[in-house]
Amino acid sequence: MGLFVQFAINGLMAGAIYALIAVGIVSVYKATKVVNFAHGYLIMFGAYFYFTFAVIVPAQPWAPAWLASWQPGWMVEMRGDLPMFSPVAAVLDWVANLPRILLGLAGALVCNAILGRVIERVLMRPLMGQSIFAMIMVTVGLISILSGAAQLIWTADAASVPYIAPNMPIRFELFGTMIFLFGTDLVNMAVALLLFGGIVAFVKFTKGGIAIRATAEDQSTAYSMGISVPKVFSRAWVLASTTGAIAGAILATRNGISPSLGLFGFSVLAIVLMGGLDSYVGVLIAAMVVGVLEAMTQWQMGGGWAEIVPYVTVLVVLIWRPHGLMGQKEVERI
């Protein structure tokens, strides 16, 4: 029973990250009716921007020394008397890296927002009023462009980045089994769920969110009501890019950075289809279910089988409900 709880918690933590990634896909779809196949590569760029500002910039000769590692005297004295793997030591290590972590997150947010704005303005806006299929194919083409650009700018070598939260070990006994967690994974889960909830609240209750929902229902009517549809499109892409930057930073701390990080978006796209392309609640449920199923499959059958769980699950769900768990059912007359 203890191992079941261990893997269930691991699955919920992974599911929260899936939900944060999926919220960007849903936001773009709700505003534009376009499925962004390149969202995983926006996340990849967010991870690389975090790497740039948290690792590369602090290592430059012109950067102040405290940016690479903040080591005030009181911290050095406190660390000297601590065992290597104590929770306090983990917190102090995080505090020493805090300046470059904050710089990395700020740089990733700003640069990814600019990237999303450029993509929407240069590639997507000229296609407004055209076939949705054409806009979707542009996002497919973006996959090769962003993947190639990342390898040209940062090379294809894998890299590591500082954790965005203290990576202290957490141990407790449950049902006779020792449960082992890391503090940074719990913080990542909390951040992902808070951001997810904040975006849902924004779309549901704010004026900008209402404009997104109105545009999704009918662009012509939204225009007639005085809503700037191009601004709504831009807002949706920037929202997806900024959440992608946070998701990219979290994934970078969990899995490292390489151009293959962009492939992560395809499994999340399967989760979005399972939950419903236009349903935040459905996507959250699907993300949690897939996260737990992956963890349980890894426990019982190994990591290789866990990789196919999102695709098998979405196939089963779509056969039963073609519009997803909570997606809006649309009937077209032919």
Side-chain angles (χ1 to χ4, degrees):
M1 187 63 181
L3 281 176
F4 175 85
V5 174
Q6 172 77 75
F7 280 91
I9 295 173
N10 292 345
L12 291 175
M13 291 189 295
I17 308 303
Y18 291 156
L20 178 60
I21 297 171
V23 77
I25 299 175
V26 176
S27 297
V28 169
Y29 181 82
K30 286 181 76 71
T32 66
K33 295 298 182 184
V34 172
V35 179
N36 179 16
F37 283 88
H39 188 66
Y41 290 84
L42 282 176
I43 292 169
M44 177 196 68
F45 258 77
Y48 271 114
F49 285 136
Y50 179 65
F51 169 69
T52 299
F53 289 96
V55 177
I56 296 178
V57 170
Q60 299 305 306
W62 45 264
W66 57 264
L67 185 59
S69 182
W70 185 54
Q71 298 281 355
W74 62 267
M75 186 185 297
V76 175
E77 293 179 6
M78 184 179 294
R79 182 180 293 170
D81 300 327
L82 293 172
M84 182 178 297
F85 297 106
S86 72
V88 177
V91 173
L92 291 178
D93 287 340
W94 174 73
V95 171
N97 288 323
L98 190 57
R100 64 186 184 127
I101 292 171
L102 294 176
L103 178 64
L105 290 174
L109 284 169
V110 172
C111 291
N112 236 39
I114 294 172
L115 176 62
R117 180 71 176 85
V118 169
I119 290 172
E120 186 278 330
R121 185 65 183 87
V122 175
L123 299 178
M124 307 306 294
R125 189 174 298 186
L127 294 176
M128 283 183 60
Q130 304 299 318
S131 167
I132 294 296
F133 179 75
M135 301 177 78
I136 292 175
M137 291 310 297
V138 168
T139 70
V140 173
L142 267 174
I143 293 174
S144 296
I145 295 172
L146 294 177
S147 178
Q151 295 186 53
L152 287 173
I153 298 171
W154 291 284
T155 76
D157 297 333
S160 59
V161 295
Y163 294 105
I164 63 174
N167 196 34
M168 65 181 72
I170 300 172
R171 301 180 183 90
F172 59 93
E173 188 174 336
L174 187 66
F175 301 113
T177 303
M178 186 62 67
I179 306 299
F180 187 85
L181 304 171
F182 284 103
T184 186
D185 291 330
L186 294 175
V187 173
N188 289 343
M189 178 181 179
V191 169
L193 292 177
L194 286 173
L195 285 174
F196 186 95
I199 291 168
V200 172
F202 167 79
V203 173
K204 189 171 183 179
F205 299 112
T206 67
K207 185 177 179 181
I210 293 172
I212 290 176
R213 289 157 54 198
T215 302
E217 290 293 331
D218 192 311
Q219 292 183 17
S220 300
T221 304
Y223 261 123
S224 66
M225 296 296 292
I227 296 173
S228 175
V229 173
K231 286 185 178 179
V232 170
F233 282 17
S234 177
R235 189 179 296 125
W237 274 90
V238 170
L239 179 64
S241 298
T242 51
T243 57
I246 300 296
I250 291 174
L251 285 177
T253 62
R254 288 167 57 95
N255 305 327
I257 302 178
S258 69
S260 62
L261 192 64
L263 297 174
F264 201 81
F266 291 112
S267 59
V268 176
L269 181 59
I271 292 172
V272 173
L273 292 173
M274 174 182 167
L277 275 166
D278 56 354
S279 173
Y280 287 113
V281 176
V283 163
L284 178 62
I285 294 172
M288 292 302 183
V289 169
V290 169
V292 172
L293 287 177
E294 277 188 342
M296 295 303 169
T297 304
Q298 184 178 15
W299 174 31
Q300 295 294 331
M301 303 175 66
W305 288 97
E307 293 180 1
I308 67 172
V309 166
Y311 307 104
V312 173
T313 307
V314 72
L315 285 175
V316 173
V317 171
L318 291 181
I319 291 172
W320 168 49
R321 292 178 66 87
H323 49 282
L325 291 173
M326 300 186 70
Q328 183 177 352
K329 188 175 182 178
E330 296 183 3
V331 179
E332 295 183 5
R333 296 184 181 275
I334 300 178

